[in-house]
Amino acid sequence: TKPVVLILGATGRTGSHLVNLLESESDRLKLRVAIRKPEQAEQFSKRGIATVHLDLDDLSTYEATLQGVQRLFMVTGYTVDMMNQGKNLTDAAKDAGVEHIVHVGTFHQPGRPQSKLIRHYIWHQLIETYIEASGIGWTHLHPNAFMQNFFGAVQDGKLHMFFGQERVG
């Protein structure tokens, strides 16, 4: 049987690209996307992609969303809510028998000054540690930056980003 892959954030900038890539893999996997709003379903159903309702702030939506899922692409908003959402989703994934979680975090290196100062770096580190301790297989993605972060940094045809003495990728 083909593994069921559940994509969170399928209407966002990262998740939508992943859906586009995996859509052509229908001979190897079953693609399912989580949506928050009913009106989001049509754009996927037209393409033959299954949707399921998930509200990360409503635990009652987790069980049905994860039923039959083997692989989970987890992305959450960058607010403190990501802490309880990541923990609760990991717990529900374990209960549902999910075999692997791909978690989108942020670029950080333990011990670097930023990893101790920037809240969402810390939040991601805690979620990643929790996923690892769950016993579920995992992959953590640490993007260095997102293109949307650069839009306001270009002035007069030059990229102005200030990182001080820190190394960047």
Side-chain angles (χ1 to χ4, degrees):
T1 62
K2 298 185 245 182
V4 175
V5 178
L6 177 65
I7 308 295
L8 275 63
T11 60
R13 292 186 178 165
T14 303
S16 63
H17 289 288
L18 181 59
V19 170
N20 291 341
L21 289 169
L22 294 180
E23 187 175 16
S24 64
E25 299 292 323
S26 62
D27 58 324
R28 296 184 328 130
L29 56 86
K30 292 180 183 177
L31 186 57
R32 184 186 301 170
V33 299
I35 56 169
R36 261 186 313 191
K37 302 171 189 163
E39 60 269 18
Q40 294 172 319
E42 185 179 354
Q43 67 178 296
F44 298 106
S45 61
K46 283 182 192 176
R47 295 161 58 184
I49 298 171
T51 62
V52 63
H53 175 256
L54 175 65
D55 180 342
L56 289 172
D57 294 319
D58 182 356
L59 292 175
S60 70
T61 65
Y62 284 37
E63 185 177 348
T65 298
L66 292 165
Q67 188 173 19
V69 171
Q70 284 80 41
R71 299 178 186 149
L72 170 64
F73 179 78
M74 181 192 300
V75 61
T76 60
Y78 278 33
T79 68
V80 72
D81 292 337
M82 72 170 40
M83 298 288 290
N84 57 300
Q85 293 169 350
K87 181 202 179 293
N88 290 334
L89 193 58
T90 300
D91 290 342
K94 184 171 183 167
D95 291 345
V98 171
E99 298 167 2
H100 199 94
I101 295 175
V102 176
H103 173 256
V104 179
T106 187
F107 180 72
H108 62 271
Q109 294 172 322
R112 280 185 77 187
Q114 289 101 329
S115 68
K116 296 177 182 178
L117 297 174
I118 299 176
R119 286 185 196 125
H120 68 274
Y121 286 16
I122 295 167
W123 299 336
H124 279 295
Q125 289 172 341
L126 291 170
I127 292 168
E128 290 172 2
T129 300
Y130 194 78
I131 291 169
E132 292 169 17
S134 74
I136 299 172
W138 53 269
T139 301
H140 301 307
L141 302 179
H142 294 159
N144 193 346
F146 295 101
M147 285 303 297
Q148 67 199 38
N149 298 341
F150 293 102
F151 293 143
V154 176
Q155 298 170 357
D156 301 321
K158 295 179 182 174
L159 177 64
H160 299 273
M161 298 286 286
F162 302 98
F163 294 100
Q165 299 301 312
E166 291 300 319
R167 296 176 61 182
V168 297

